[in-house]
Amino acid sequence: MKSKKRNRNKNKRKKQSVKTLKTSLSKQKKMNQIAFTATGEIFQPVRIHYTVDDVLKLNDVFSKLKCMEYDSDHKRWVWLYTGEARKLEFEHDPGGENIVIIGEFIFENSKNIVLNLRSHERAIYGIAFFDEHIPKSVAEVTDITTINRLFSLKEAASVSTLNQLFETGNLTIRDPEKITQDLLKIKSGNDDESEKKKEISEYILELSNEKTPEIEKFPSNYYEDGIESLEFSLRLNQIVAFQHWKGNTNYTAMDAIREGVKKSTISI
C-alpha cells in the first residue's frame, strides 16, 4: 500500500516536473521572439537628429504641447501618447490610464538635440508631427540614425535607455556626397563610354553588396524629398533586418528592391 502511494507521489512529482519544464521552455521561446512596442510596432530604435537655432523657443514650444513633459530626473523632454499625439494611429492602442512614452528629446549641446524612438513608425510620425509644431527657424531635422537589427523580447527587456543602444554600438556614417564625388571621378577619368559604364556598374554593385552596418547614420533629406522617401528607406532597412533575423545574413537592400520590383510591393 505504501509502495503504491510512493509511486503515485513519484509520478505526480514527475508530471509536475514535466509541466514546469514545458512552462519554462514556453517562456524561453516567447522571450526569444521578436520584440514589439506597447503600441504594436516592431521594436527597432531610431534616432532623429535636429540642429537647434533657438533653445529658449524650442523649450517654449515643448512646454505648450499637452503631449510633452519635462523629466528633470533624466534631463529630457518626453513625448507622451496623450493630448495632441492621440490623433496618431498605432497598431495597438494601450488605452485606459496607460500613458505611453512615444519618444524622448535629449539635448546633446545647445545646438543639437536628438529624438530617440522605439520604432520606425514612431520615427515617421515624429518627424511629421514636430514639423507641424516646431518652426524651421527654431530647429530642423538633419540626420537619422538607425539600428539595423531586430531584438528578442529578452534583449528589449534588458534595454534600460535607448541612449545605451545608440552610444555603445559601432556607428557607420553614410556619406551620399562622397558617393556622388566617386561617381563623378569615374565619369571624368575615362573617355571610353563602355568602360565608364562598366566601372560605374561595378561601383554601384559593390555598394549594394556591402555588409549592413550595426548602427548607421545618414542624412534625412526630409525637406528636399519629403517623408515618403524616408519612409521607404526605413522600410527597406526593416525588411533586411527581418531577413537577417531569420538567418539570411547575406541579404541586402538590393535584394529587397529586386524582390519588391518582382512583386510590385515592399513588405515583410
Side-chain angles (χ1 to χ4, degrees), residues 52-116:
V52 180
D53 290 319
D54 195 321
V55 176
L56 293 178
K57 284 186 179 179
L58 181 59
N59 281 318
D60 187 51
V61 169
F62 286 159
S63 65
K64 289 177 179 177
L65 289 171
K66 295 176 182 177
C67 60
M68 296 295 291
E69 185 176 295
Y70 187 68
D71 176 7
S72 58
D73 291 338
H74 299 93
K75 296 180 180 179
R76 63 177 184 169
W77 280 96
V78 291
W79 182 28
L80 305 173
Y81 191 36
T82 186
E84 302 87 349
R86 286 298 296 181
K87 69 179 182 180
L88 304 176
E89 295 181 0
F90 290 102
E91 186 71 24
H92 171 68
D93 185 348
E97 298 179 356
N98 298 316
I99 303 297
V100 173
I101 294 177
I102 308 175
E104 60 174 8
F105 278 97
I106 297 176
F107 278 98
E108 294 184 315
N109 50 55
S110 61
K111 291 294 182 182
N112 296 281
I113 191 171
V114 294
L115 171 57
N116 296 329

Side-chain angles (χ1 to χ4, degrees), residues 179-190 196 199:
I179 295 173
T180 301
Q181 292 303 319
D182 287 344
L183 289 172
L184 288 173
K185 187 177 179 181
I186 292 172
K187 189 176 180 181
S188 62
N190 200 325
K196 190 184 299 182
E199 285 185 44

Side-chain angles (χ1 to χ4, degrees), residues 10-41:
K10 186 177 181 181
N11 289 334
K12 187 177 180 181
R13 286 195 299 272
K14 187 176 180 180
K15 287 179 181 179
Q16 288 175 337
S17 178
V18 171
K19 185 178 180 181
T20 301
L21 179 60
K22 284 183 177 179
T23 302
S24 177
L25 289 173
S26 178
K27 286 182 178 179
Q28 185 177 344
K29 185 178 180 181
K30 184 178 179 181
M31 292 304 287
N32 287 328
Q33 291 176 350
I34 293 175
F36 285 77
T37 68
T39 45
E41 320 91 62

Side-chain angles (χ1 to χ4, degrees), residues 168-198:
T168 58
N170 296 317
L171 176 66
T172 297
I173 298 177
R174 193 200 304 170
D175 186 359
E177 184 60 32
K178 181 182 180 302
I179 295 173
T180 301
Q181 292 303 319
D182 287 344
L183 289 172
L184 288 173
K185 187 177 179 181
I186 292 172
K187 189 176 180 181
S188 62
N190 200 325
D191 295 328
D192 189 308
E193 285 298 320
S194 61
E195 283 297 316
K196 190 184 299 182
K197 288 179 181 179
K198 182 182 177 182

